[in-house]
Structures are given as structure tokens and as C-alpha cells.
Amino acid sequence: MIASLPRPTTSRDEPPRPPEDPRHKARRRALTLLIIVLLIGVPAVYLAISANQSRNSGKDKEAKYSATGLTVGWPSKVQRRLYQVPVPHPAEEVAFYETNNWKTSRLYVQFQTSEAGLDTFLAGVGVDRDTLKKNDITISDRDQKITGWKFTRPGPWWGVVNKQKDPAPTQDIVVNLSDPALPMVYVVARTVP
């Protein structure tokens, strides 16, 4: 025998429900619409924002890695540590460019600093002012062409090559002391991977 499901009983004593008030109906529909918007709209907006950020991130990375000259800004901490180029604080007019190939990796950095900043930088590299040689442009013509640096402005120009045993980087340093209080420093650090 098949059991039958109980059916709700309607009491004949209960009066029928009154029709729904139009204001209550409008509130119920507005609440339903709000719930639908929240359940569908919020995730859709989140996905749109996330997709836009992801696309912008890709464009930033593409611009960074397709750069063909100096980029205004500080090299990353990893780059500064890897190439041993301790850009001092304070420093202005900071720009950099990195090239990598199977034979040699190079980091080109320029910055303007104070007298104390220059001393701090030189000490961080492992040299001092006494090792700088007057009118010694140590950065090659090839490297000057890559960065657009021209060492023809009034000087005096001072330079030094800080050679280190591989895999430590070698730094070619040129300093413009036309304004001794605000020296301009140019560095090419190269390392063999």
C-alpha cells in the first residue's frame, strides 16, 4: 500500500487572508531586487576591477621590460644589491636601465647627491675620493651610447673602475663635480652570470 502524504488542512473557521498591501508588495519586490543586485552585481564589479588591474599590471611589466633607455626612478633593492650600487639618500635625478644577455648583465644608474652622499656611495662601493682620477671617463663609448650620456659638459670629471673578482660586479664610475655641493654620479655595474 502506498502511503499518502498529509495534506495541509484548511480550517473553515479561519478567515481567508486579506490581499497584500501595495506598499508591502513594493517593499518585498525592492528587497528581492536588492538581493539580486548584491548577489550578481557585486561579484561582477569585483571581476571587472580585478581584470582591469591585471591588464594594467601586464602593461606596466611590458613597458618596464621593453624599455630601451634610462627609466626615471630608483632601481629595485634587489638590483642595487646584486650590482652593488648603493644609491645614497638624499639622491635626485635618479634613473636606471638594466640589460641582460647570456654573457654579461649591466645596470646603468645615474643620480645627483650631496657631498656626504657621494662619500657614502663611494664607501658603499669600496672606494674613496682619493681613488678617483681627474678627467678619467671610465664609462665606455658603447655604454654612453646605450644610455645617452655625454660627458662633454663642463667638469671637472672624475672617474674610477672598481674591479672585483667574478661573480662580484665591476663598477665603472664617473662623477661630475662642476657643482661640488651637488655631484652628479654615473655608474655602469656589470656582472658575469
Side-chain angles (χ1 to χ4, degrees):
M1 176 172 187
I2 299 177
S4 62
L5 296 173
R7 296 184 181 201
T9 57
T10 55
S11 171
R12 297 202 177 175
D13 297 336
E14 279 185 33
R17 287 189 191 166
E20 189 173 15
D21 180 25
R23 288 180 298 186
H24 184 262
K25 185 186 281 186
R27 261 187 262 132
R28 184 175 50 80
R29 286 183 178 170
L31 182 62
T32 303
L33 181 63
L34 177 66
I35 290 170
I36 290 170
V37 166
L38 290 175
L39 288 174
I40 296 171
V42 170
V45 169
Y46 173 78
L47 286 173
I49 290 171
S50 179
N52 191 34
Q53 287 175 342
S54 177
R55 184 174 62 243
N56 288 345
S57 173
K59 287 179 182 176
D60 293 344
K61 287 179 184 173
E62 178 184 0
K64 177 181 176 184
Y65 292 111
S66 67
T68 56
L70 289 172
T71 302
V72 174
W74 287 65
S76 71
K77 287 181 180 180
V78 171
Q79 288 171 316
R80 286 181 271 161
R81 188 173 53 245
L82 179 69
Y83 292 97
Q84 297 176 9
V85 179
V87 179
H89 290 279
E92 295 180 359
E93 298 183 40
V94 180
F96 73 99
Y97 178 57
E98 183 179 18
T99 62
N100 297 300
N101 62 38
W102 65 275
K103 206 161 124 184
T104 306
S105 297
R106 286 181 174 82
L107 178 66
Y108 303 85
V109 181
Q110 74 174 37
F111 58 90
Q112 186 174 41
T113 189
S114 63
E115 287 183 86
L118 176 60
D119 292 333
T120 301
F121 166 73
L122 292 173
V125 171
V127 298
D128 58 25
R129 282 190 192 233
D130 293 337
T131 58
L132 294 172
K133 296 176 187 162
K134 190 171 186 175
N135 297 323
D136 189 9
I137 305 298
T138 57
I139 295 176
S140 70
D141 291 339
R142 175 196 175 277
D143 290 333
Q144 290 178 43
K145 194 179 289 185
I146 288 172
T147 58
W149 292 334
K150 293 182 177 28
F151 302 119
T152 55
R153 294 181 296 180
W157 294 93
W158 296 78
V160 67
V161 175
N162 182 34
K163 288 190 179 184
Q164 301 183 85
K165 188 176 178 186
D166 287 338
T170 294
Q171 297 105 350
D172 300 331
I173 302 166
V174 173
V175 181
N176 183 342
L177 289 172
S178 58
D179 181 355
L182 294 171
M184 189 71 183
V185 180
Y186 303 87
V187 183
V188 177
R190 61 186 180 279
T191 185
V192 178

